[in-house]
Amino acid sequence: ALLLAAYRRADRAADGLRAFERARRTLAEALGVSPGPELVAAYESILRAESGSPGAQRPQPSRSFALVSLADEQTADALAARSQGDDARAVKAFVAAAAHAREAQDVRRFAEAALGAAGDGWRASLDATDEIVSLLDEAVDYVPSGPTQLRSRLLARWAIVRSHHKSVAECEAAATKALAIARAVDDDRLLAGALHALAVVVWDPARHLQHWDWTDELLRLSKQHPEEPWHRWALPI
């Protein structure tokens, strides 16, 4: 943000815009987050300064910035469609958002779109060639392997969706990693997702006590957060 302010004061708007784009991409690839309000404000300050300069035209947003905007629009459309019960339209919009985010090399938006397309609950009946499955596979490979919230969510969802196509050992390993991250960051939403994944993919009768523990913890979390869908996840199990 300080660098962008310096470029603005030096009348080097193009360098400032390129610096913002580098920062946006680095944050997305390394941490899976978007620029914060301070950095966005510095970027918008450059745009305003340029548009107010005598004889100057407002700089056109970069191609990647335009793609990110399109991804956000498609995501908003997808969420609206899902709230109206139109899952087919929602998935189509999430897939389009993922395509824009992929082209912009925005890791976080791509992963969020893949998760949105996959939905929640016990969705384990998709064909292995389904676009939702391939999106999740790509997102798991694409997102940095560090212990981030996004990584935990992806691994848990991947374990459930892939439970009809991959071995129990592979899916359990993914769900176990998701649970380890969730416990490390102490996030109830991540815990619920990981516990649900373990309870779905592990059906060994010899491990029924462990299975009950996962489900009981999920039910306890659902009572603490009645606004979440976790009760609906746990009851069928």
Side-chain angles (χ1 to χ4, degrees):
L2 288 171
L3 178 61
L4 264 63
Y7 279 136
R8 177 176 59 79
R9 291 168 186 161
D11 292 326
R12 293 171 58 184
D15 289 328
L17 297 177
R18 282 192 288 269
F20 173 81
E21 182 57 33
R22 286 195 303 273
R24 185 198 64 75
R25 186 169 297 164
T26 300
L27 288 168
E29 292 176 355
L31 300 175
V33 299
S34 297
E38 186 179 4
L39 185 52
V40 171
Y43 170 79
E44 291 175 345
S45 179
I46 291 177
L47 295 181
R48 285 195 299 272
E50 281 295 289
S51 63
S53 299
Q57 293 184 343
R58 183 184 180 91
Q60 294 299 310
S62 66
R63 170 67 176 160
S64 59
F65 193 79
L67 288 166
V68 163
S69 298
L70 286 172
D72 288 345
E73 289 175 14
Q74 292 287 355
T75 297
D77 289 344
L79 293 172
R82 183 153 284 160
S83 69
Q84 295 163 8
D86 191 344
D87 194 60
R89 184 162 68 90
V91 169
K92 184 177 180 181
F94 275 125
V95 170
H100 293 312
R102 180 194 293 112
E103 190 175 349
Q105 299 181 22
D106 191 307
V107 178
R108 183 187 66 80
R109 282 180 170 84
F110 179 83
E112 291 288 357
L115 285 165
D120 65 10
W122 197 340
R123 187 163 193 168
S125 59
L126 293 168
D127 186 271
T129 60
D130 192 284
E131 197 161 22
I132 293 173
V133 176
S134 59
L135 271 181
L136 273 179
D137 283 346
E138 187 178 353
V140 168
D141 291 337
Y142 194 24
V143 169
S145 58
T148 62
Q149 294 179 336
L150 187 58
R151 186 75 180 168
S152 178
R153 291 168 59 206
L154 276 172
L155 289 171
R157 178 62 16 198
W158 183 91
I160 291 175
V161 170
R162 272 306 209 170
S163 61
H164 280 189
H165 321 126
K166 298 287 187 178
S167 69
V168 172
E170 285 180 272
C171 294
E172 182 182 359
T176 300
K177 289 178 184 176
L179 183 63
I181 296 171
R183 293 207 189 282
V185 300
D186 193 21
D187 186 308
D188 284 354
R189 287 181 174 80
L190 300 184
L191 275 173
L195 290 165
H196 180 223
L198 282 167
V200 165
V201 303
V202 177
W203 284 99
D204 183 352
R207 298 173 62 187
H208 67 279
L209 292 177
Q210 189 179 23
H211 197 273
W212 288 348
D213 286 342
W214 293 329
T215 312
D216 286 346
E217 187 174 359
L218 180 56
L219 282 169
R220 285 196 298 273
L221 287 171
S222 74
K223 290 177 182 177
Q224 295 168 17
H225 302 274
E227 74 285 357
E228 298 289 350
W230 307 336
H231 198 67
R232 172 167 58 82
W233 296 355
L235 284 180
I237 300 170

